Amino acid sequence: MVGVLALQGAFREHIEALNTLGAEAKEIRKLSDLANLDGIILPGGESTVQGKLLRELDMLNPLRDMILSGLPVLATCAGLILLSKTIENDENRYLATLPVTVKRNAYGRQLGSFITNGKVGDFNNFEMVFIRAPYITEVDNSVDVLSKYDDKITGVRYKNQIALSFHPELSNDMRLHKLFLSITK
């Protein structure tokens, strides 16, 4: 069973992608929903709101512990910010399980949103949808860079964590969701 954090943001699109691939998915809205997961997706949306709700619902520390214990996670856009150990120009820290520094809203406002194709890991010509997206400014040596756009890091993999600046759930390309499912239990 794959959980999709459903506190705010683009969680429905991830559930649809998982269902299309034949995977069982459930919405994560409260602490008890975290039980018996094989993996979790942290969707795009507003990272500040999602982080605040994770704290208020007493889910932040249990989820952090689960990720640090090996729970596979796919994080997109705001999810990347939640995982990052450091957020430029922001004192907030959320899950902080991914040894990277991220810059929020790095590509500008909503009007600065765009779609491009690029290489993501072994996947060529992958459609990348950027919406008020962050990018990664620094990575630890143990982090594998999966993708870049305009010389900025937009996708990484670290142990059980795949984190992306863009939204694969808004594309018809299911390769990243398939990759994520391959690392779930």
Side-chain angles (χ1 to χ4, degrees):
M1 173 71 67
V2 175
V4 180
L5 189 65
L7 302 179
Q8 185 271 341
F11 58 90
R12 285 182 188 91
E13 292 85 349
H14 281 289
I15 290 172
E16 289 173 12
L18 293 170
N19 290 337
T20 297
L21 295 171
E24 194 174 353
K26 73 174 184 175
E27 294 181 5
I28 305 298
R29 296 183 178 274
K30 59 186 184 291
L31 182 60
S32 62
D33 293 337
L34 291 174
N36 303 314
L37 294 180
D38 298 318
I40 190 164
I41 294 179
L42 305 177
E46 177 48 55
S47 60
T48 307
V49 172
Q50 290 179 12
K52 180 178 185 255
L53 291 170
L54 282 170
R55 280 192 180 101
E56 288 176 1
L57 296 168
D58 293 322
M59 295 170 58
L60 189 71
N61 289 329
L63 182 55
R64 177 186 300 121
D65 292 344
M66 292 169 72
I67 293 169
L68 290 173
S69 294
L71 180 70
V73 59
L74 172 64
T76 61
C77 201
L80 162 63
I81 295 167
L82 293 176
L83 288 181
S84 298
K85 283 202 175 176
T86 307
I87 305 167
E88 284 190 10
N89 301 322
D90 192 338
E91 294 180 12
N92 288 312
R93 298 296 172 274
Y94 303 105
L95 296 165
T97 59
L98 183 65
V100 302
T101 300
V102 70
K103 182 174 180 179
R104 295 179 75 230
N105 300 326
Y107 291 106
R109 301 174 154 241
Q110 196 79 15
L111 293 175
S113 301
F114 62 96
I115 299 172
T116 188
N117 287 346
K119 183 170 173 51
V120 182
D122 294 332
F123 306 136
N124 290 313
N125 199 33
F126 194 94
E127 184 178 64
M128 298 182 283
V129 179
F130 291 86
I131 302 172
R132 292 183 59 210
Y135 60 68
I136 298 166
T137 59
E138 292 179 43
V139 296
D140 185 85
N141 290 336
S142 59
V143 174
D144 293 324
V145 174
L146 296 177
S147 65
K148 289 185 176 185
Y149 172 75
D150 199 23
D151 291 324
K152 306 292 189 227
I153 300 169
T154 58
V156 295
R157 183 168 182 179
Y158 173 71
K159 298 181 181 179
N160 54 312
Q161 301 173 66
I162 299 170
L164 310 165
S165 296
F166 53 91
H167 294 268
E169 76 281 6
L170 298 179
S171 141
N172 290 323
D173 194 329
M174 298 286 136
R175 291 179 287 175
L176 281 171
H177 283 88
K178 282 182 188 176
L179 173 65
F180 170 65
L181 288 172
S182 77
I183 66 171
T184 61
K185 298 174 188 167

